[in-house]
PDB file of all heavy atoms in Angstrom:
ATOM      1  N   LEU A 445      30.758  79.586 107.133  1.00 73.00           N
ATOM      2  CA  LEU A 445      30.463  78.667 108.228  1.00 73.00           C
ATOM      3  C   LEU A 445      30.197  77.258 107.702  1.00 73.00           C
ATOM      4  O   LEU A 445      29.939  76.343 108.478  1.00 73.00           O
ATOM      5  CB  LEU A 445      29.222  79.156 109.002  1.00 73.00           C
ATOM      6  CG  LEU A 445      29.355  80.519 109.687  1.00 73.00           C
ATOM      7  CD1 LEU A 445      28.018  80.938 110.289  1.00 73.00           C
ATOM      8  CD2 LEU A 445      30.424  80.488 110.749  1.00 73.00           C
ATOM      9  N   GLU A 446      30.276  77.100 106.392  1.00 68.00           N
ATOM     10  CA  GLU A 446      29.962  75.809 105.794  1.00 68.00           C
ATOM     11  C   GLU A 446      31.209  74.939 105.667  1.00 68.00           C
ATOM     12  O   GLU A 446      32.335  75.397 105.840  1.00 68.00           O
ATOM     13  CB  GLU A 446      29.298  76.018 104.431  1.00 68.00           C
ATOM     14  CG  GLU A 446      27.974  76.763 104.527  1.00 68.00           C
ATOM     15  CD  GLU A 446      27.218  76.776 103.216  1.00 68.00           C
ATOM     16  OE1 GLU A 446      27.006  75.690 102.649  1.00 68.00           O
ATOM     17  OE2 GLU A 446      26.842  77.858 102.770  1.00 68.00           O
ATOM     18  N   SER A 447      30.983  73.661 105.339  1.00 63.00           N
ATOM     19  CA  SER A 447      32.077  72.684 105.321  1.00 63.00           C
ATOM     20  C   SER A 447      33.147  73.023 104.306  1.00 63.00           C
ATOM     21  O   SER A 447      34.315  72.651 104.475  1.00 63.00           O
ATOM     22  CB  SER A 447      31.514  71.287 105.026  1.00 63.00           C
ATOM     23  OG  SER A 447      30.844  71.265 103.779  1.00 63.00           O
ATOM     24  N   TYR A 448      32.789  73.731 103.234  1.00 65.00           N
ATOM     25  CA  TYR A 448      33.788  74.020 102.210  1.00 65.00           C
ATOM     26  C   TYR A 448      34.858  75.000 102.690  1.00 65.00           C
ATOM     27  O   TYR A 448      35.862  75.199 102.016  1.00 65.00           O
ATOM     28  CB  TYR A 448      33.161  74.506 100.907  1.00 65.00           C
ATOM     29  CG  TYR A 448      32.259  75.723 100.994  1.00 65.00           C
ATOM     30  CD1 TYR A 448      32.761  76.974 101.320  1.00 65.00           C
ATOM     31  CD2 TYR A 448      30.895  75.633 100.711  1.00 65.00           C
ATOM     32  CE1 TYR A 448      31.955  78.089 101.376  1.00 65.00           C
ATOM     33  CE2 TYR A 448      30.075  76.751 100.761  1.00 65.00           C
ATOM     34  CZ  TYR A 448      30.617  77.969 101.098  1.00 65.00           C
ATOM     35  OH  TYR A 448      29.820  79.079 101.152  1.00 65.00           O
ATOM     36  N   TYR A 449      34.655  75.598 103.861  1.00 62.00           N
ATOM     37  CA  TYR A 449      35.695  76.471 104.427  1.00 62.00           C
ATOM     38  C   TYR A 449      37.004  75.707 104.593  1.00 62.00           C
ATOM     39  O   TYR A 449      38.092  76.230 104.304  1.00 62.00           O
ATOM     40  CB  TYR A 449      35.233  77.036 105.770  1.00 62.00           C
ATOM     41  CG  TYR A 449      36.357  77.620 106.595  1.00 62.00           C
ATOM     42  CD1 TYR A 449      36.876  78.876 106.298  1.00 62.00           C
ATOM     43  CD2 TYR A 449      36.921  76.912 107.655  1.00 62.00           C
ATOM     44  CE1 TYR A 449      37.923  79.410 107.034  1.00 62.00           C
ATOM     45  CE2 TYR A 449      37.960  77.437 108.394  1.00 62.00           C
ATOM     46  CZ  TYR A 449      38.454  78.681 108.083  1.00 62.00           C
ATOM     47  OH  TYR A 449      39.497  79.206 108.813  1.00 62.00           O
ATOM     48  N   ASN A 450      36.915  74.462 105.070  1.00 63.00           N
ATOM     49  CA  ASN A 450      38.124  73.672 105.313  1.00 63.00           C
ATOM     50  C   ASN A 450      38.845  73.294 104.031  1.00 63.00           C
ATOM     51  O   ASN A 450      40.025  72.942 104.060  1.00 63.00           O
ATOM     52  CB  ASN A 450      37.763  72.402 106.091  1.00 63.00           C
ATOM     53  CG  ASN A 450      37.327  72.697 107.507  1.00 63.00           C
ATOM     54  OD1 ASN A 450      37.869  73.597 108.149  1.00 63.00           O
ATOM     55  ND2 ASN A 450      36.349  71.964 108.002  1.00 63.00           N
ATOM     56  N   GLU A 451      38.142  73.346 102.898  1.00 66.00           N
ATOM     57  CA  GLU A 451      38.746  73.008 101.614  1.00 66.00           C
ATOM     58  C   GLU A 451      39.166  74.256 100.843  1.00 66.00           C
ATOM     59  O   GLU A 451      39.547  74.157  99.670  1.00 66.00           O
ATOM     60  CB  GLU A 451      37.766  72.187 100.786  1.00 66.00           C
ATOM     61  CG  GLU A 451      37.344  70.874 101.441  1.00 66.00           C
ATOM     62  CD  GLU A 451      38.530  69.977 101.738  1.00 66.00           C
ATOM     63  OE1 GLU A 451      39.455  69.925 100.902  1.00 66.00           O
ATOM     64  OE2 GLU A 451      38.548  69.341 102.803  1.00 66.00           O
ATOM     65  N   SER A 452      39.103  75.402 101.488  1.00 72.00           N
ATOM     66  CA  SER A 452      39.480  76.663 100.857  1.00 72.00           C
ATOM     67  C   SER A 452      40.769  77.176 101.470  1.00 72.00           C
ATOM     68  O   SER A 452      41.113  76.834 102.604  1.00 72.00           O
ATOM     69  CB  SER A 452      38.369  77.706 101.037  1.00 72.00           C
ATOM     70  OG  SER A 452      37.145  77.241 100.498  1.00 72.00           O
ATOM     71  N   THR A 453      41.485  78.021 100.727  1.00 72.00           N
ATOM     72  CA  THR A 453      42.739  78.558 101.231  1.00 72.00           C
ATOM     73  C   THR A 453      42.518  79.499 102.402  1.00 72.00           C
ATOM     74  O   THR A 453      43.220  79.438 103.405  1.00 72.00           O
ATOM     75  CB  THR A 453      43.490  79.300 100.102  1.00 72.00           C
ATOM     76  OG1 THR A 453      43.833  78.357  99.092  1.00 72.00           O
ATOM     77  CG2 THR A 453      44.770  79.939 100.633  1.00 72.00           C
ATOM     78  N   SER A 454      41.536  80.395 102.289  1.00 74.00           N
ATOM     79  CA  SER A 454      41.298  81.342 103.369  1.00 74.00           C
ATOM     80  C   SER A 454      39.878  81.205 103.894  1.00 74.00           C
ATOM     81  O   SER A 454      39.554  80.229 104.566  1.00 74.00           O
ATOM     82  CB  SER A 454      41.613  82.771 102.908  1.00 74.00           C
ATOM     83  OG  SER A 454      40.990  83.072 101.674  1.00 74.00           O
ATOM     84  N   GLY A 455      38.980  82.144 103.550  1.00 77.00           N
ATOM     85  CA  GLY A 455      37.656  82.130 104.157  1.00 77.00           C
ATOM     86  C   GLY A 455      36.545  81.530 103.327  1.00 77.00           C
ATOM     87  O   GLY A 455      35.390  81.505 103.752  1.00 77.00           O
ATOM     88  N   GLY A 456      36.845  81.041 102.134  1.00 83.00           N
ATOM     89  CA  GLY A 456      35.824  80.432 101.295  1.00 83.00           C
ATOM     90  C   GLY A 456      35.013  81.421 100.477  1.00 83.00           C
ATOM     91  O   GLY A 456      33.915  81.098 100.019  1.00 83.00           O
ATOM     92  N   ALA A 457      35.541  82.629 100.253  1.00 88.00           N
ATOM     93  CA  ALA A 457      34.785  83.651  99.529  1.00 88.00           C
ATOM     94  C   ALA A 457      34.528  83.267  98.073  1.00 88.00           C
ATOM     95  O   ALA A 457      33.464  83.578  97.530  1.00 88.00           O
ATOM     96  CB  ALA A 457      35.505  84.992  99.594  1.00 88.00           C
ATOM     97  N   PHE A 458      35.484  82.616  97.442  1.00 91.00           N
ATOM     98  CA  PHE A 458      35.274  82.250  96.043  1.00 91.00           C
ATOM     99  C   PHE A 458      34.066  81.336  95.896  1.00 91.00           C
ATOM    100  O   PHE A 458      33.260  81.483  94.961  1.00 91.00           O
ATOM    101  CB  PHE A 458      36.514  81.575  95.458  1.00 91.00           C
ATOM    102  CG  PHE A 458      36.336  81.126  94.032  1.00 91.00           C
ATOM    103  CD1 PHE A 458      36.367  82.051  92.997  1.00 91.00           C
ATOM    104  CD2 PHE A 458      36.106  79.794  93.718  1.00 91.00           C
ATOM    105  CE1 PHE A 458      36.180  81.655  91.673  1.00 91.00           C
ATOM    106  CE2 PHE A 458      35.914  79.390  92.401  1.00 91.00           C
ATOM    107  CZ  PHE A 458      35.961  80.326  91.379  1.00 91.00           C
ATOM    108  N   THR A 459      33.918  80.393  96.814  1.00 88.00           N
ATOM    109  CA  THR A 459      32.779  79.491  96.747  1.00 88.00           C
ATOM    110  C   THR A 459      31.478  80.254  96.944  1.00 88.00           C
ATOM    111  O   THR A 459      30.471  79.962  96.302  1.00 88.00           O
ATOM    112  CB  THR A 459      32.912  78.375  97.801  1.00 88.00           C
ATOM    113  OG1 THR A 459      34.147  77.684  97.584  1.00 88.00           O
ATOM    114  CG2 THR A 459      31.779  77.372  97.682  1.00 88.00           C
ATOM    115  N   ARG A 460      31.483  81.253  97.822  1.00 87.00           N
ATOM    116  CA  ARG A 460      30.296  82.088  97.993  1.00 87.00           C
ATOM    117  C   ARG A 460      29.949  82.796  96.685  1.00 87.00           C
ATOM    118  O   ARG A 460      28.789  82.905  96.308  1.00 87.00           O
ATOM    119  CB  ARG A 460      30.516  83.128  99.090  1.00 87.00           C
ATOM    120  CG  ARG A 460      29.352  84.132  99.190  1.00 87.00           C
ATOM    121  CD  ARG A 460      29.687  85.301 100.111  1.00 87.00           C
ATOM    122  NE  ARG A 460      28.735  86.381  99.927  1.00 87.00           N
ATOM    123  CZ  ARG A 460      27.681  86.597 100.709  1.00 87.00           C
ATOM    124  NH1 ARG A 460      27.435  85.785 101.710  1.00 87.00           N
ATOM    125  NH2 ARG A 460      26.863  87.610 100.479  1.00 87.00           N
ATOM    126  N   ILE A 461      30.961  83.273  95.993  1.00 91.00           N
ATOM    127  CA  ILE A 461      30.732  84.023  94.751  1.00 91.00           C
ATOM    128  C   ILE A 461      30.122  83.127  93.679  1.00 91.00           C
ATOM    129  O   ILE A 461      29.142  83.508  93.018  1.00 91.00           O
ATOM    130  CB  ILE A 461      32.050  84.649  94.262  1.00 91.00           C
ATOM    131  CG1 ILE A 461      32.460  85.779  95.209  1.00 91.00           C
ATOM    132  CG2 ILE A 461      31.915  85.173  92.830  1.00 91.00           C
ATOM    133  CD1 ILE A 461      33.873  86.270  94.990  1.00 91.00           C
ATOM    134  N   VAL A 462      30.686  81.928  93.476  1.00 91.00           N
ATOM    135  CA  VAL A 462      30.130  81.055  92.442  1.00 91.00           C
ATOM    136  C   VAL A 462      28.766  80.518  92.869  1.00 91.00           C
ATOM    137  O   VAL A 462      27.902  80.255  92.017  1.00 91.00           O
ATOM    138  CB  VAL A 462      31.092  79.905  92.073  1.00 91.00           C
ATOM    139  CG1 VAL A 462      32.353  80.456  91.438  1.00 91.00           C
ATOM    140  CG2 VAL A 462      31.444  79.043  93.264  1.00 91.00           C
ATOM    141  N   LYS A 463      28.550  80.389  94.164  1.00 88.00           N
ATOM    142  CA  LYS A 463      27.226  79.989  94.654  1.00 88.00           C
ATOM    143  C   LYS A 463      26.199  81.054  94.282  1.00 88.00           C
ATOM    144  O   LYS A 463      25.114  80.743  93.773  1.00 88.00           O
ATOM    145  CB  LYS A 463      27.285  79.808  96.169  1.00 88.00           C
ATOM    146  CG  LYS A 463      25.953  79.479  96.834  1.00 88.00           C
ATOM    147  CD  LYS A 463      26.152  79.356  98.335  1.00 88.00           C
ATOM    148  CE  LYS A 463      24.843  79.092  99.054  1.00 88.00           C
ATOM    149  NZ  LYS A 463      25.050  79.000 100.528  1.00 88.00           N
ATOM    150  N   SER A 464      26.565  82.314  94.516  1.00 88.00           N
ATOM    151  CA  SER A 464      25.695  83.424  94.145  1.00 88.00           C
ATOM    152  C   SER A 464      25.461  83.450  92.645  1.00 88.00           C
ATOM    153  O   SER A 464      24.333  83.669  92.169  1.00 88.00           O
ATOM    154  CB  SER A 464      26.321  84.749  94.608  1.00 88.00           C
ATOM    155  OG  SER A 464      25.636  85.859  94.077  1.00 88.00           O
ATOM    156  N   PHE A 465      26.523  83.201  91.890  1.00 92.00           N
ATOM    157  CA  PHE A 465      26.445  83.221  90.428  1.00 92.00           C
ATOM    158  C   PHE A 465      25.446  82.191  89.918  1.00 92.00           C
ATOM    159  O   PHE A 465      24.584  82.494  89.071  1.00 92.00           O
ATOM    160  CB  PHE A 465      27.837  82.961  89.853  1.00 92.00           C
ATOM    161  CG  PHE A 465      27.909  82.881  88.362  1.00 92.00           C
ATOM    162  CD1 PHE A 465      27.862  84.018  87.581  1.00 92.00           C
ATOM    163  CD2 PHE A 465      28.033  81.647  87.725  1.00 92.00           C
ATOM    164  CE1 PHE A 465      27.933  83.950  86.192  1.00 92.00           C
ATOM    165  CE2 PHE A 465      28.106  81.564  86.347  1.00 92.00           C
ATOM    166  CZ  PHE A 465      28.049  82.721  85.577  1.00 92.00           C
ATOM    167  N   PHE A 466      25.529  80.960  90.421  1.00 92.00           N
ATOM    168  CA  PHE A 466      24.651  79.902  89.934  1.00 92.00           C
ATOM    169  C   PHE A 466      23.229  80.023  90.479  1.00 92.00           C
ATOM    170  O   PHE A 466      22.293  79.505  89.858  1.00 92.00           O
ATOM    171  CB  PHE A 466      25.231  78.525  90.270  1.00 92.00           C
ATOM    172  CG  PHE A 466      26.321  78.080  89.340  1.00 92.00           C
ATOM    173  CD1 PHE A 466      27.630  77.947  89.785  1.00 92.00           C
ATOM    174  CD2 PHE A 466      26.042  77.792  88.016  1.00 92.00           C
ATOM    175  CE1 PHE A 466      28.633  77.535  88.924  1.00 92.00           C
ATOM    176  CE2 PHE A 466      27.041  77.384  87.143  1.00 92.00           C
ATOM    177  CZ  PHE A 466      28.332  77.254  87.600  1.00 92.00           C
ATOM    178  N   GLN A 467      23.051  80.685  91.612  1.00 88.00           N
ATOM    179  CA  GLN A 467      21.707  80.879  92.114  1.00 88.00           C
ATOM    180  C   GLN A 467      20.899  81.830  91.236  1.00 88.00           C
ATOM    181  O   GLN A 467      19.672  81.844  91.289  1.00 88.00           O
ATOM    182  CB  GLN A 467      21.735  81.381  93.559  1.00 88.00           C
ATOM    183  CG  GLN A 467      22.082  80.287  94.558  1.00 88.00           C
ATOM    184  CD  GLN A 467      21.896  80.710  95.998  1.00 88.00           C
ATOM    185  OE1 GLN A 467      21.831  81.903  96.298  1.00 88.00           O
ATOM    186  NE2 GLN A 467      21.798  79.739  96.886  1.00 88.00           N
ATOM    187  N   LYS A 468      21.578  82.601  90.434  1.00 89.00           N
ATOM    188  CA  LYS A 468      20.891  83.501  89.503  1.00 89.00           C
ATOM    189  C   LYS A 468      20.458  82.783  88.230  1.00 89.00           C
ATOM    190  O   LYS A 468      19.737  83.353  87.414  1.00 89.00           O
ATOM    191  CB  LYS A 468      21.802  84.673  89.139  1.00 89.00           C
ATOM    192  CG  LYS A 468      22.008  85.656  90.263  1.00 89.00           C
ATOM    193  CD  LYS A 468      22.832  86.840  89.794  1.00 89.00           C
ATOM    194  CE  LYS A 468      22.980  87.879  90.894  1.00 89.00           C
ATOM    195  NZ  LYS A 468      23.775  89.049  90.445  1.00 89.00           N
ATOM    196  N   GLY A 469      20.929  81.553  88.039  1.00 92.00           N
ATOM    197  CA  GLY A 469      20.561  80.800  86.846  1.00 92.00           C
ATOM    198  C   GLY A 469      21.752  80.084  86.251  1.00 92.00           C
ATOM    199  O   GLY A 469      22.875  80.159  86.776  1.00 92.00           O
ATOM    200  N   PRO A 470      21.537  79.370  85.144  1.00 96.00           N
ATOM    201  CA  PRO A 470      22.619  78.629  84.489  1.00 96.00           C
ATOM    202  C   PRO A 470      23.759  79.562  84.065  1.00 96.00           C
ATOM    203  O   PRO A 470      23.545  80.732  83.753  1.00 96.00           O
ATOM    204  CB  PRO A 470      21.929  78.006  83.264  1.00 96.00           C
ATOM    205  CG  PRO A 470      20.481  78.001  83.603  1.00 96.00           C
ATOM    206  CD  PRO A 470      20.251  79.218  84.445  1.00 96.00           C
ATOM    207  N   GLY A 471      24.955  79.016  84.055  1.00 97.00           N
ATOM    208  CA  GLY A 471      26.104  79.800  83.635  1.00 97.00           C
ATOM    209  C   GLY A 471      27.327  78.924  83.479  1.00 97.00           C
ATOM    210  O   GLY A 471      27.293  77.712  83.708  1.00 97.00           O
ATOM    211  N   ILE A 472      28.432  79.556  83.105  1.00 98.00           N
ATOM    212  CA  ILE A 472      29.708  78.874  82.905  1.00 98.00           C
ATOM    213  C   ILE A 472      30.762  79.555  83.769  1.00 98.00           C
ATOM    214  O   ILE A 472      30.838  80.787  83.814  1.00 98.00           O
ATOM    215  CB  ILE A 472      30.146  78.927  81.427  1.00 98.00           C
ATOM    216  CG1 ILE A 472      29.062  78.345  80.517  1.00 98.00           C
ATOM    217  CG2 ILE A 472      31.475  78.201  81.242  1.00 98.00           C
ATOM    218  CD1 ILE A 472      28.768  76.875  80.743  1.00 98.00           C
ATOM    219  N   VAL A 473      31.595  78.758  84.441  1.00 98.00           N
ATOM    220  CA  VAL A 473      32.667  79.297  85.278  1.00 98.00           C
ATOM    221  C   VAL A 473      34.006  78.760  84.780  1.00 98.00           C
ATOM    222  O   VAL A 473      34.144  77.567  84.494  1.00 98.00           O
ATOM    223  CB  VAL A 473      32.472  78.932  86.764  1.00 98.00           C
ATOM    224  CG1 VAL A 473      33.666  79.389  87.600  1.00 98.00           C
ATOM    225  CG2 VAL A 473      31.187  79.555  87.306  1.00 98.00           C
ATOM    226  N   TYR A 474      34.982  79.647  84.683  1.00 98.00           N
ATOM    227  CA  TYR A 474      36.353  79.281  84.315  1.00 98.00           C
ATOM    228  C   TYR A 474      37.274  79.570  85.499  1.00 98.00           C
ATOM    229  O   TYR A 474      37.173  80.633  86.134  1.00 98.00           O
ATOM    230  CB  TYR A 474      36.830  80.095  83.112  1.00 98.00           C
ATOM    231  CG  TYR A 474      36.148  79.757  81.812  1.00 98.00           C
ATOM    232  CD1 TYR A 474      34.940  80.356  81.452  1.00 98.00           C
ATOM    233  CD2 TYR A 474      36.712  78.832  80.926  1.00 98.00           C
ATOM    234  CE1 TYR A 474      34.313  80.050  80.254  1.00 98.00           C
ATOM    235  CE2 TYR A 474      36.090  78.521  79.720  1.00 98.00           C
ATOM    236  CZ  TYR A 474      34.888  79.136  79.392  1.00 98.00           C
ATOM    237  OH  TYR A 474      34.271  78.823  78.213  1.00 98.00           O
ATOM    238  N   GLY A 475      38.174  78.634  85.787  1.00 97.00           N
ATOM    239  CA  GLY A 475      39.134  78.839  86.858  1.00 97.00           C
ATOM    240  C   GLY A 475      40.319  77.904  86.719  1.00 97.00           C
ATOM    241  O   GLY A 475      40.344  77.025  85.843  1.00 97.00           O
ATOM    242  N   ALA A 476      41.299  78.080  87.596  1.00 96.00           N
ATOM    243  CA  ALA A 476      42.533  77.287  87.534  1.00 96.00           C
ATOM    244  C   ALA A 476      42.392  75.998  88.332  1.00 96.00           C
ATOM    245  O   ALA A 476      41.894  75.999  89.465  1.00 96.00           O
ATOM    246  CB  ALA A 476      43.708  78.100  88.068  1.00 96.00           C
ATOM    247  N   VAL A 477      42.836  74.903  87.726  1.00 96.00           N
ATOM    248  CA  VAL A 477      42.810  73.596  88.383  1.00 96.00           C
ATOM    249  C   VAL A 477      44.211  72.992  88.368  1.00 96.00           C
ATOM    250  O   VAL A 477      45.032  73.316  87.501  1.00 96.00           O
ATOM    251  CB  VAL A 477      41.823  72.630  87.689  1.00 96.00           C
ATOM    252  CG1 VAL A 477      40.422  73.213  87.662  1.00 96.00           C
ATOM    253  CG2 VAL A 477      42.288  72.279  86.275  1.00 96.00           C
ATOM    254  N   LEU A 478      44.461  72.113  89.319  1.00 96.00           N
ATOM    255  CA  LEU A 478      45.647  71.261  89.304  1.00 96.00           C
ATOM    256  C   LEU A 478      45.152  69.903  88.834  1.00 96.00           C
ATOM    257  O   LEU A 478      44.505  69.173  89.593  1.00 96.00           O
ATOM    258  CB  LEU A 478      46.277  71.175  90.696  1.00 96.00           C
ATOM    259  CG  LEU A 478      47.556  70.335  90.827  1.00 96.00           C
ATOM    260  CD1 LEU A 478      48.694  70.968  90.030  1.00 96.00           C
ATOM    261  CD2 LEU A 478      47.959  70.191  92.289  1.00 96.00           C
TER     262      LEU A 478
END
């Protein structure tokens, strides 16, 4: 339901996952960029 939905391909699940990941503490994320 957040604004990043419009910047996602489908429902914004990936952003939810990394949000959950960082809420647990510091970490590193790897992903594909253009």
Side-chain angles (χ1 to χ4, degrees):
L445 298 174
E446 298 189 53
S447 59
Y448 56 67
Y449 164 78
N450 291 323
E451 300 302 321
S452 302
T453 296
S454 49
F458 178 76
T459 303
R460 173 190 166 98
I461 290 168
V462 295
K463 176 181 177 181
S464 170
F465 177 76
F466 281 113
Q467 285 189 342
K468 289 184 177 180
I472 304 297
V473 175
Y474 291 86
V477 302
L478 181 65

